């Protein structure tokens, strides 16, 4: 009986590891494709995310940007610094709060974003072959996982 319970725990752990490994494989496959063209593009995936986010949300602050791209403020700050030095992003004093800095793409940054999207579409467009029903199911499952892990994270932080 104890052995069966032990096997059940092992089976449960194997199921979890299988799920996590699958996420890792998808993540790695995506990054390998992107990095293949990163030198040609002149940008990294995270820099592209910044440019894309600033296109959709111009004149936002660093904290808002970090929240949108799901990384920490210090990492976001480093990415933005590199993009500013490259002339792709500009910092401006907020017109409503002179202590605040807002971010926006330059014309060069928008051009880089467009080139990146064109290049990436060549190898990402096949993802559109996934049936809508399967895509929706996958996204719903991802949201369930996010909700479970977020809830568990909150429980641990209250201990």
């Amino acid at each position: 009986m104890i052995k069966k319970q032990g096997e059940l725990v092992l089976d449960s752990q194997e199921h979890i590891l299988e799920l996590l490994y699958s996420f890792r494989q998808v993540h790695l496959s995506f990054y390998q494709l992107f990095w293949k063209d990163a030198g040609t593009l002149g940008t990294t995936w995270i820099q592209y995310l910044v440019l894309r986010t600033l296109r959709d949300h111009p004149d936002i602050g660093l904290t808002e940007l970090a929240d949108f791209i799901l990384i920490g403020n210090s990492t976001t700050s480093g990415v933005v610094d590199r993009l500013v030095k490259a002339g792709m992003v500009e910092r401006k004093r907020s017109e409503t709060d002179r202590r605040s800095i807002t971010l926006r793409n330059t014309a060069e940054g928008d051009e880089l974003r467009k080139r990146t999207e064109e290049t990436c579409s060549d190898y990402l467009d096949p993802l559109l072959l996934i049936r809508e029903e399967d895509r929706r199911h996958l996204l719903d499952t991802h949201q369930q996982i996010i909700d479970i892990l977020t809830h568990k994270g909150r429980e641990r932080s209250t201990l």
Side-chain angles (χ1 to χ4, degrees):
M1 187 94 154
I2 293 173
K3 189 172 186 178
K4 284 188 177 182
Q5 287 177 340
E7 288 174 8
L8 181 62
V9 170
L10 182 61
D11 287 344
S12 297
Q13 289 174 351
E14 291 298 321
H15 289 299
I16 292 168
L17 287 174
E18 180 182 40
L19 182 64
L20 294 175
Y21 188 69
S22 175
F23 283 132
R24 177 73 180 130
Q25 287 176 301
V26 169
H27 185 260
L28 185 60
S29 296
F30 171 76
Y31 273 98
Q32 286 173 340
L33 276 173
F34 193 88
W35 279 106
K36 179 184 73 171
D37 289 325
T40 305
L41 293 169
T43 188
T44 65
W45 173 246
I46 199 70
Q47 289 172 334
Y48 165 72
L49 284 180
V50 167
L51 294 172
R52 175 73 185 226
T53 302
L54 291 178
R55 184 208 63 186
D56 295 341
H57 305 280
D59 300 319
I60 61 173
L62 187 69
T63 300
E64 291 169 293
L65 176 61
D67 289 344
F68 276 119
I69 62 175
L70 304 174
I71 61 174
N73 279 3
S74 62
T75 303
T76 303
S77 179
V79 173
V80 168
D81 285 346
R82 287 186 289 283
L83 288 168
V84 168
K85 286 178 186 172
M88 303 297 157
V89 169
E90 64 182 3
R91 290 183 178 105
K92 291 179 18 181
R93 290 256 176 235
S94 170
E95 294 178 12
T96 57
D97 181 357
R98 301 297 294 163
R99 296 169 294 165
S100 295
I101 302 289
T102 61
L103 305 166
R104 113 176 348 253
N105 289 343
T106 64
E108 294 84 2
D110 265 338
E111 184 58 37
L112 176 60
R113 178 194 50 78
K114 288 176 192 171
R115 280 195 324 268
T116 302
E117 288 171 350
E118 289 167 5
T119 300
C120 290
S121 71
D122 288 343
Y123 50 81
L124 294 178
D125 280 354
L127 292 175
L128 297 172
L129 298 174
I130 297 171
R131 292 181 324 158
E132 176 64 23
E133 177 184 335
D134 292 339
R135 188 184 68 79
R136 178 66 10 226
H137 182 72
L138 179 65
L139 292 173
D140 288 345
T141 302
H142 282 190
Q143 190 59 55
Q144 286 178 17
I145 293 168
I146 291 166
D147 292 345
I148 289 167
L149 295 177
T150 301
H151 177 74
K152 283 295 177 188
R154 283 191 202 120
E155 281 180 1
R156 291 192 69 136
S157 66
T158 60
L159 295 178

